[in-house]
Amino acid sequence: MNKTKIWLSSPHMGGTERDFVNEAFDTNWVAPLGPNVNNFEVDIQEYLKEDVHVAALSSGTAALHLGLILLGVTAGDEVICQSMTFSASANPIVYQGATPVFVDSEEDTWNICPIHLETAIKDRIAKGKKPKAIVAVHLYGMPFKVDEITAISKKYDIPILEDSAESFGSEYKGRKCGTFGAISILSFNGNKIITTSGGGALISKDKEIRDKAIFLATQARDDAPHYQHSHIGYNYRLSNISAGIGRGQMQVLQEHVGYRQDMNAFYKKIFKDIKGATVFVEPSSDYVSNHWLSCVVINSNEASFTTEELRLALLEENIESRPLWKPMHMQPVFKESPFYGTHVAQSLFENGLCLPSGSNLTNEDRVRLTNVIQKFL
């Protein structure tokens, strides 16, 4: 196979990242922290608005872990988590010795279902264990039902840990994702809408929470001339070199969002008249997805093909596509965890496919994708 690979979502540099990295070398700021980290945090704060405070960290997973710690999650607690998500949303719950309680998706946004969420909360309280937090995810860049989930959070006084790993640049009712939780997180992993190679951020409107996150992320060293520790700490801060990449990426974030949204429109056009094929789009004008990944769901009872047949046809042409996230309640590692819901997440996993969505896909790539998909169809 000598055809050039079309990736699902590869890094896309804007051009100025090297300047910030070179500046770090030229000024010898190759230590873990430095001006790039500080300025990257400011860039994120100014982009998100809403008077948030940002801590740049080594990964989105690190941000989720610190978020749980800062929300008071400890061994023996329970934390509600969206089932349909990447495992990094759930793993930090177990790091804390807590139990994840998984909740099914709803069909509009594929995110945590408000009805099943409330059922889960009521049942856990009835069993004598009020959940400590709700991990709600904006899946594939699509905002969750913010109004409904926030209302439930307030009703039962359970804080939201907002997982915006996939949704930097998305909006709900004109407000950026990453600003809705008691604590929110971002990811800058290599496949995300912008990247720092590896990296993430913790966001809060409470400066004290942000400062505590930085304290814990830098080995929880007390304010003393010697090394004094009164808390368990972590090595979770972002490096000054990686933050330099992030500063350059921030300059092209909105442009990259636009390119990904264009890819979603491209797929809508391709599958428009295909019976049984539905491209994942916003349910109403309240939602603006960055369309980090564009996805299609195939109803094999109506379509003349299955999701797996489409995936294999693309693979044959060296084009990467992937099934949707396998829900956490279906994962072997979480088989003992409670689950509330029906079969929405399972059905999406069995019938959905993520399609190449990168902001750096070319016109030639789109022509090739069109030809391959149309020939298959």
Side-chain angles (χ1 to χ4, degrees):
M1 185 187 293
N2 57 7
K3 296 185 177 86
T4 306
K5 178 133 185 173
I6 294 180
W7 296 94
L8 190 71
S9 177
S10 62
H12 184 192
M13 295 295 102
T16 61
E17 294 85 357
R18 193 187 301 268
D19 298 336
F20 293 110
V21 173
N22 285 343
E23 184 183 309
F25 277 98
D26 292 343
T27 56
N28 204 31
W29 274 107
V30 292
L33 297 172
N36 280 336
V37 176
N38 299 335
N39 287 310
F40 184 43
E41 290 173 341
V42 170
D43 290 345
I44 296 168
Q45 285 167 193
E46 289 178 349
Y47 179 80
L48 292 175
K49 299 183 171 63
E50 307 297 329
D51 295 324
V52 296
H53 303 275
V54 174
L57 302 171
S58 56
S59 67
T61 311
L64 284 163
H65 186 200
L66 291 183
L68 291 169
I69 292 169
L70 292 163
L71 292 175
V73 174
T74 56
D77 287 337
E78 291 188 350
V79 175
I80 289 183
C81 183
Q82 184 164 315
S83 182
M84 189 161 191
T85 183
F86 179 53
S87 62
S89 302
N91 287 337
I93 299 169
V94 181
Y95 299 168
Q96 284 305 98
T99 299
V101 175
F102 294 114
V103 171
D104 204 358
S105 298
E106 39 78 16
E107 293 178 341
D108 294 339
T109 73
W110 299 3
N111 292 311
I112 194 163
C113 173
I115 296 165
H116 295 311
L117 171 61
E118 186 157 23
T119 299
I121 292 170
K122 285 178 177 175
D123 190 55
R124 300 325 288 177
I125 290 172
K127 286 179 164 68
K129 206 90 175 179
K130 181 181 173 183
K132 271 288 187 75
I134 300 164
V135 179
V137 186
H138 304 294
L139 202 69
Y140 300 120
M142 188 66 70
F144 58 74
K145 292 190 170 178
V146 174
D147 286 351
E148 291 92 326
I149 303 304
T150 302
I152 293 168
S153 161
K154 288 178 177 171
K155 180 177 177 181
Y156 294 96
D157 193 27
I158 303 173
I160 295 171
L161 179 51
E162 179 191 7
D163 185 344
S164 295
E166 301 171 5
S167 63
F168 198 26
S170 299
E171 297 180 10
Y172 177 79
K173 292 188 175 179
R175 189 168 144 192
K176 301 285 188 203
C177 291
T179 66
F180 296 111
I183 295 173
S184 306
I185 74 98
L186 298 170
S187 170
F188 308 118
N189 191 29
N191 64 358
K192 294 301 187 292
I193 198 146
I194 65 165
T195 185
T196 56
S197 177
L202 181 144
I203 301 145
S204 176
K205 287 186 180 160
D206 186 337
K207 186 176 182 296
E208 191 177 332
I209 286 177
R210 182 258 189 194
D211 291 345
K212 279 185 186 173
I214 290 175
F215 169 71
L216 293 171
T218 47
Q219 300 291 17
R221 182 185 173 187
D222 293 342
D223 186 13
H226 54 279
Y227 284 89
Q228 171 97 0
H229 303 274
S230 306
H231 303 269
I232 296 296
Y234 305 87
N235 185 14
Y236 278 173
R237 275 296 244 162
L238 188 66
S239 85
N240 197 54
I241 301 295
S242 297
I245 300 172
R247 289 182 72 188
Q249 288 275 279
M250 284 300 295
Q251 295 180 349
V252 292
L253 170 58
Q254 210 53 45
E255 191 179 336
H256 286 191
V257 170
Y259 289 142
R260 302 240 179 188
Q261 291 168 334
D262 288 347
M263 284 305 299
N264 187 258
F266 164 78
Y267 288 120
K268 276 197 289 184
K269 192 173 177 184
I270 285 184
F271 288 101
K272 179 166 60 85
D273 298 319
I274 306 304
K275 194 176 180 187
T278 307
V279 174
F280 186 34
V281 297
E282 291 91 338
S284 76
S285 58
D286 287 342
Y287 300 79
V288 176
S289 174
N290 64 12
H291 290 294
W292 170 59
L293 292 184
S294 284
C295 310
V296 64
V297 174
I298 307 301
N299 181 339
S300 52
N301 294 324
E302 295 179 15
S304 58
F305 60 96
T306 66
T307 305
E308 181 62 3
E309 286 168 347
L310 175 57
R311 187 187 73 80
L312 291 173
L314 292 166
L315 184 63
E316 183 71 23
E317 297 295 327
N318 207 18
I319 297 169
E320 185 183 25
S321 64
R322 284 190 196 165
L324 304 189
W325 299 125
K326 184 175 183 179
M328 292 300 102
H329 75 277
M330 296 173 66
Q331 299 286 355
V333 72
F334 293 122
K335 65 180 185 292
E336 303 300 329
S337 300
F339 169 71
Y340 293 83
T342 54
H343 304 286
V344 174
Q346 181 175 345
S347 176
L348 287 168
F349 163 64
E350 290 170 349
N351 298 294
L353 192 68
C354 300
L355 300 165
S357 306
S359 50
N360 53 359
L361 292 173
T362 63
N363 285 331
E364 290 78 10
D365 292 331
R366 280 187 279 276
V367 168
R368 193 168 139 209
L369 280 162
T370 302
N371 290 339
V372 170
I373 293 171
Q374 287 185 344
K375 181 184 172 187
F376 167 76
L377 294 173

